[in-house]
Amino acid sequence: MQSPLSKNRVFRFAPSPNGLLHLGHALSAILNRDMAAACGGRFLLRIEDIDPARSRPEFEAAIYRDLAWLGLDWERPVRRQSEHLAFYGEALERLKAMGVLYPGFLSRGEVKARVEAHEAAGGVWPRDPDGAPLYPTGERTLDREEALAAIAAGRQHAWRLDMDKARALAPGALDWSEAGEGPRGETGTVAAEPERWGDVILSRPDAPASYHLAVVLDDAAQGVTDVVRGQDLFHATAVHRLLQSLLGLPAPAYRHHGLVPGPDGRKLSKSNEDTGIAAYRERGASPADIRALLAGYGFVLH
Ligand code: GLU
């Protein structure tokens, strides 16, 4: 663990350019920058554009514009995930060599049909912390040669983590240091329960590294010591700790902050343009107004 006053602390704000930044992003970015400034540490911006289908250059440009308008400054060059695909690919190969990945061929529709049939018959299908059904585990034991031949023949697939094997191989206790809190007030040393996510995807043909894989590799490559982000990612930390353990990467300290409520009390979304930082700016708000708004929701900013 880093001493709170260490000048070597490294913070990062890591948005995905798939929509406009909203007040919740402003909160994350300001908290990271302020905490870095308070200890003389570094503040990095990372563009998480790993998913080509959802990332757009205009949203990336909007990120720079909105953060600069908020008065934030970050180190250059900015790391863009799309420029590091070979780096993620190497880690994926290491995991394959460890025998913890398998190709899953079921489409989303096929999984949905199975879940519906199971539930219609009165069964309970396990769900992940976001409420999505876990992927069926039947393909874990598919014949390797056959599976590779199917891939070579062009069959759609995703590389999935065999959660049981991964858990068994990960050395040491899987927990993390939480300075903020989870949705149920979890704080301090939190036990990671990655199995709640089932066999997560680590790579698809169209997005060679998943968010989970890219985020842990980048945090390690950039020497990030402190991950400060929204509570919506609290449970994902369990998967991140598992991957860090498998890949021999250091664990940063985590601080998950509360989410800014939307106008209707629901979660803010990037698709709701009214609550975007740019929309506030266009309506004449100042950066100080944004801080005041966040303080009004009870977030402590300095
Ligand atoms: N790129 C993620 C997002 O936009 C955040 C990643 C992180 O902070 O770990 O939601």
Side-chain angles (χ1 to χ4, degrees):
M1 265 278 283
Q2 295 283 318
S3 140
L5 287 175
S6 165
K7 284 199 186 318
N8 301 325
R9 288 170 74 184
V10 181
F11 294 78
R12 74 350 179 236
F13 175 57
S16 306
N18 56 16
L20 292 170
L21 298 187
H22 55 56
L23 276 183
H25 297 105
L27 174 63
S28 272
I30 292 171
L31 283 175
N32 273 289
R33 198 286 303 262
D34 286 1
M35 291 179 73
C39 66
R42 297 168 59 197
F43 172 58
L44 311 179
L45 170 65
R46 182 166 76 224
I47 299 295
E48 299 214 322
D49 57 350
I50 195 68
D51 186 343
R54 302 183 65 214
S55 301
R56 303 257 192 79
E58 60 270 30
F59 291 134
E60 183 175 337
I63 289 171
Y64 300 132
R65 198 163 53 236
D66 290 348
L67 295 182
W69 176 75
L70 283 171
L72 306 188
D73 198 6
W74 53 90
E75 289 184 17
R76 271 78 168 179
V78 166
R79 185 176 178 93
R80 300 172 70 244
Q81 291 186 325
S82 56
E83 293 169 358
H84 298 275
L85 301 186
F87 173 62
Y88 309 130
E90 251 165 55
L92 199 75
E93 290 309 316
R94 274 175 61 201
L95 292 169
K96 279 185 199 166
M98 291 167 77
V100 292
L101 298 189
Y102 69 90
F105 295 102
L106 296 177
S107 68
R108 203 175 284 177
E110 284 167 324
V111 174
K112 190 165 174 257
R114 283 195 194 195
V115 173
E116 281 171 3
H118 186 78
E119 290 180 340
V124 176
W125 194 282
R127 289 179 183 259
D128 72 22
D130 287 345
L134 300 196
Y135 190 77
T137 56
E139 294 164 319
R140 284 176 176 180
T141 50
L142 278 186
D143 179 80
R144 197 104 192 137
E145 297 305 314
E146 267 176 44
L148 293 177
I151 292 174
R155 203 157 151 217
Q156 278 297 315
H157 67 286
W159 286 95
R160 289 183 174 268
L161 191 66
D162 178 328
M163 189 50 81
D164 288 344
K165 268 196 192 163
R167 221 25 254 245
L169 265 188
L174 268 194
D175 50 31
W176 77 86
S177 151
E178 175 62 53
E181 60 177 25
R184 298 208 174 139
E186 302 93 327
T187 192
T189 302
V190 177
E193 297 173 321
E195 55 281 351
R196 291 181 64 190
W197 293 95
D199 292 355
V200 287
I201 290 184
L202 293 194
S203 160
R204 298 191 313 251
D206 59 332
S210 69
Y211 156 65
H212 296 306
L213 183 60
V215 85
V216 297
L217 289 167
D218 284 346
D219 283 340
Q222 296 190 287
V224 170
T225 58
D226 292 79
V227 170
V228 179
R229 61 187 178 193
Q231 217 168 52
D232 50 336
L233 292 170
F234 176 83
H235 289 297
T237 310
V239 177
H240 301 169
R241 288 292 300 113
L242 175 61
L243 292 174
Q244 285 158 354
S245 172
L246 288 170
L247 293 165
L249 306 174
Y254 289 87
R255 177 185 292 267
H256 292 91
H257 60 73
L259 301 180
V260 179
D264 50 2
R266 295 193 29 218
K267 214 177 130 175
L268 282 181
S269 125
K270 280 184 174 156
S271 50
N272 188 343
E273 299 203 347
D274 287 355
T275 52
I277 298 171
Y280 281 104
R281 182 171 64 238
E282 280 150 24
R283 292 199 296 263
S286 69
D289 294 331
I290 301 289
R291 282 179 175 261
L293 256 173
L294 292 170
Y297 283 119
F299 296 106
V300 183
L301 304 173
H302 298 287

